[in-house]
């Protein structure tokens, strides 16, 4: 990974903001996402600081800065998932497994909530590969923008929560001001935004509410077709009480912000 390119992308986003998003005398018609995000891996999450999106008046500049900030973190988590996936595929083709490999498979199977991890057989590998797979960047970017109002919500600013995840242990997060009486949930706090991205993807890859999303992805894989957010968004009806309205809103955000380009450049 070329750190200089990543830093250059961030610097360019800041320059664009300061100049009012003008280029060669013409106003930029859409959010200009950093080119480096197309192919580069993410920078170390330990050096990431959340920009002050609320202070950005120009809408196009705010969108550009938001995508430029979050995209590397999404790419990094997808890289980690795909590395595990590639190892699982490699192990599935071996006639014999070492004890170390069996323990690793059992551990990852447990993490991904595979019910029966006692037998490492073809059925186990099929179930595991359905879960251990990438989440399209377009979907993650659109959901995060939707859930955080482009990074300006207090849950994003105070809790590093960029996807609206809930938790149910007292003190685990931030109590919403509009929480109904009798409810106990909180909006989860994370140590950093990378942890929020990790939890979001793991949730989609393991929660029974999103089985439809995983099945749609598996079908696209079986047909050797690109997996995009525009396809998988239809498996997210349970993510919001708004159901189909929420799905259509995300699909509109994906299309209007031209986010599909990030899916097609990161197939694995």
């Amino acid at each position: 990974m070329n750190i200089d390119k990543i830093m250059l992308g961030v610097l360019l986003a800041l320059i664009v903001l300061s100049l009012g998003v003008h280029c060669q005398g013409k106003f930029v018609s859409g959010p200009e996402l950093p080119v480096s995000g197309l192919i580069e891996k993410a920078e170390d999450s330990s050096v990431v600081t959340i920009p002050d999106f609320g202070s950005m008046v120009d809408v196009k500049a705010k969108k550009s800065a938001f995508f430029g900030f979050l995209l590397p973190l999404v790419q990094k988590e997808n890289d980690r998932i795909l590395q595990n996936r590639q190892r699982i595929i490699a192990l599935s083709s071996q006639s014999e497994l070492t004890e170390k490999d069996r323990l690793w498979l059992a551990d990852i199977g447990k993490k991904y909530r595979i019910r029966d991890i006692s037998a490492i057989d073809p059925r186990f590998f099929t179930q595991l590969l359905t879960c251990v797979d990438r989440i399209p960047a377009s979907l993650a970017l659109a959901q995060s923008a939707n859930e955080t109002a482009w990074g300006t919500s207090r849950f994003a600013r105070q809790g590093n929560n960029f996807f609206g995840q809930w938790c149910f242990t007292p003190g685990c997060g931030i109590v919403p001001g509009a929480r109904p009486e009798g409810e106990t949930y909180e909006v989860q706090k994370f140590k950093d935004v990378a942890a929020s991205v990790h939890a979001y993807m793991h949730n989609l890859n393991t929660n029974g509410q999103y089985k439809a999303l995983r099945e749609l992805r598996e079908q696209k894989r079986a047909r050797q077709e690109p997996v995009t957010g525009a396809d998988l968004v239809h498996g997210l009806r349970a993510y919001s009480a708004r159901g189909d309205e929420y799905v259509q809103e995300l699909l509109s955000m994906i299309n209007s912000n031209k986010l599909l380009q990030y899916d097609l450049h990161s197939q694995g």
Side-chain angles (χ1 to χ4, degrees):
M1 177 196 70
N2 191 323
I3 296 294
D4 290 337
K5 289 184 178 181
I6 294 292
M7 296 305 296
L8 179 58
V10 175
L11 179 60
L12 288 175
L14 293 175
I15 293 174
V16 167
L17 175 62
S18 65
L19 294 178
V21 202
H22 283 76
C23 180
Q24 297 181 350
K26 296 182 179 180
F27 197 80
V28 180
S29 60
E32 296 294 307
L33 290 88
V35 174
S36 61
L38 292 172
I39 57 177
E40 299 289 343
K41 293 182 180 179
E43 58 189 295
D44 185 350
S45 62
S46 64
V47 300
V48 173
T49 300
I50 300 175
D52 183 6
F53 297 113
S55 69
M56 301 179 186
V57 179
D58 186 273
V59 174
K60 293 180 178 65
K62 180 186 293 187
K63 288 184 176 183
S64 178
F66 181 85
F67 293 142
F69 166 74
L70 194 63
L71 180 62
L73 300 177
V74 170
Q75 290 176 320
K76 183 175 182 178
E77 183 62 19
N78 270 329
D79 286 345
R80 187 194 66 80
I81 292 172
L82 288 178
Q83 286 175 3
N84 285 333
R85 180 179 175 84
Q86 289 162 3
R87 183 176 178 184
I88 293 166
I89 292 173
L91 292 176
S92 70
S93 64
Q94 294 186 12
S95 57
E96 294 186 11
L97 297 172
T98 66
E99 182 64 19
K100 180 179 179 181
D101 287 335
R102 287 183 175 276
L103 289 173
W104 182 82
L105 286 167
D107 181 61
I108 198 168
K110 184 177 180 180
K111 289 177 180 177
Y112 278 84
R113 303 180 186 177
I114 304 302
R115 291 183 179 180
D116 185 7
I117 60 174
S118 61
I120 308 298
D121 55 16
R123 183 170 181 270
F124 169 85
F125 282 111
T126 298
Q127 291 178 333
L128 191 57
L129 287 171
T130 299
C131 298
V132 185
D133 205 346
R134 59 186 289 277
I135 300 298
S138 67
L139 188 60
L141 293 173
Q143 278 199 274
S144 183
N146 187 285
E147 295 290 337
T148 67
W150 299 97
T152 63
S153 74
R154 72 183 181 103
F155 306 120
R157 291 181 288 103
Q158 299 175 13
N160 293 313
N161 189 325
F162 270 62
F163 296 92
Q165 299 103 315
W166 289 2
C167 57
F168 297 90
T169 302
C172 63
I174 301 170
V175 177
R179 186 178 71 178
E181 185 177 354
E183 295 288 348
T184 61
Y185 68 86
E186 299 178 14
V187 178
Q188 189 169 356
K189 278 187 176 182
F190 294 96
K191 65 177 182 179
D192 51 37
V193 180
S196 177
V197 173
H198 170 80
Y200 157 75
M201 291 193 182
H202 194 70
N203 183 34
L204 295 191
N205 279 332
T206 60
N207 195 313
Q209 296 280 359
Y210 313 118
K211 182 180 179 181
L213 178 147
R214 299 190 292 274
E215 290 176 342
L216 288 169
R217 182 176 59 193
E218 184 180 23
Q219 291 166 9
K220 298 288 284 187
R221 286 284 196 183
R223 294 194 295 265
Q224 296 184 329
E225 296 174 353
V227 180
T228 71
D231 299 314
L232 302 196
V233 69
H234 298 287
L236 286 178
R237 289 180 175 86
Y239 204 94
S240 168
R242 291 184 287 142
D244 287 333
E245 180 185 346
Y246 178 73
V247 167
Q248 291 305 314
E249 190 170 305
L250 293 179
L251 189 58
S252 176
M253 293 178 73
I254 289 172
N255 291 330
S256 63
N257 291 287
K258 301 178 181 179
L259 299 180
L260 289 177
Q261 61 179 306
Y262 296 97
D263 300 341
L264 301 177
H265 281 271
S266 60
Q267 295 298 309

